[in-house]
Amino acid sequence: MIKKMLSSLKMPKKYDVVIHATVLILIAFGTLMIVSTNAGKMGGLKTIAIVMMKQFVYFAIGYFLMTFFANKFRMNWPLSKFLFVGIIISFMLISTFFFKKVYGAYGWIRIGLGFTEVTIQPSEFAKVFMIIIIAVYIENVRKDNGDFWKIVRIPVVFFTVFAVILLCQPDLGTLVILTLIAFGCFLIPSHKSLRKRQKKSKILFLIACCGLLFLMSASGIKFVKELPIFSHISTRFNNAINPFVDPTNQGYQLINGLYGFARGGISGVGLGESIQKYGYLTQSDNDFILSIVVEECGIFGLLIVVGGYILILHRLFYYAFRAKSEGYKIILMGTAIYIFAHFMLNVGGVSGLIPLTGVPLLFISSGGSSLMAIMSCIGMSQSVISRIRRQGTVQTKGDKKRAATK
């Protein structure tokens, strides 16, 4: 029984070792930094023990999901399975409105365990589902040359449902990432029925980028303030432009995050020696964890994070460009977009380059939902990579050496 359970945790043949090792290194480094940031909180050893236990459980579940999808994920699974999962995620998103707000948003299902509280953020799984549903429908419709609406109607329905719920929560950071994932995945396939709309979508994307630049101006902020549902967002745009306008209130978090970057310098102040984690940054183990990383580990800590991200993204794009199946390309590039979008919004926000969005730094920040979701995506990508390599589309150095010895 135990032997069977252990064998189920193995990765499939010809998976990408570089991605696997890099993910584990980033998670290990992130766990170390999460423990370090929580060392500054009340409760002492008890708090650290609870944090370590929760992180271990999140990692164990995430690793199981990664190996499960790596071994079991198939593009030809019945569509009814995906539709059922999408409906469950929709109900989970709606159920968050029955729990109390956190930082002004209904985004979490909260489960009290007496000695601690566990939270589930369904929107993280909505991102994974968006990648899968687009990939599966593109792959299936490709076989029978369906028209535009036959290809996109189900993904569009689920995206609209998710987007409306996220807008009502409101969780605009997650909505931006979900939109980038859906938009990026839509542009990948070369199906003839999609080409016209893909061209129009690229134009809309350029307009959106110009709109973002406008919103970063004084006129843009004034415009946002006049929209009732987005009035609180104008504060984040103001902070990105100049957080020192309101240093004791709205700009407080960002200023202290920037102090952490400045204090770290090249070598950092030493692991566990951060000052900013002692109440100056309320999200020191989540949104602002990069500030603590740089403060304690300096530029070397930053290089571990950035280098790890670059390695994973490079390998995902490497296989995506060599995949013959458009469904495979969407899984790989969708995962890459998911990772890059989180990195861009998190790092851009905590460094003051763009407004804060409250999204975690994947693999590094605390949070079980984000860790389990991204490890599921990595598992699906490894499943695709394994099939691509077994088909002989891509050969690594190891494959070439084995072929040469035969």
Side-chain angles (χ1 to χ4, degrees), residues 255-266 269 276 291 294-295:
I255 290 170
N256 280 289
L258 294 174
Y259 282 160
F261 284 114
R263 190 166 179 263
I266 296 175
V269 297
Q276 300 308 114
S291 179
V294 175
E295 185 184 5

Side-chain angles (χ1 to χ4, degrees), residues 5 24 68 80 96 169 185 211 251 309 342 374 379:
M5 287 176 64
L24 295 182
F68 172 81
S80 57
T96 60
Q169 285 182 347
C185 291
Y309 270 74
H342 266 266
I374 190 56

Side-chain angles (χ1 to χ4, degrees), residues 1-10:
M1 180 71 175
I2 296 174
K3 189 177 180 181
K4 189 177 180 180
M5 287 176 64
L6 290 174
S7 64
S8 66
L9 295 176
K10 289 182 179 179

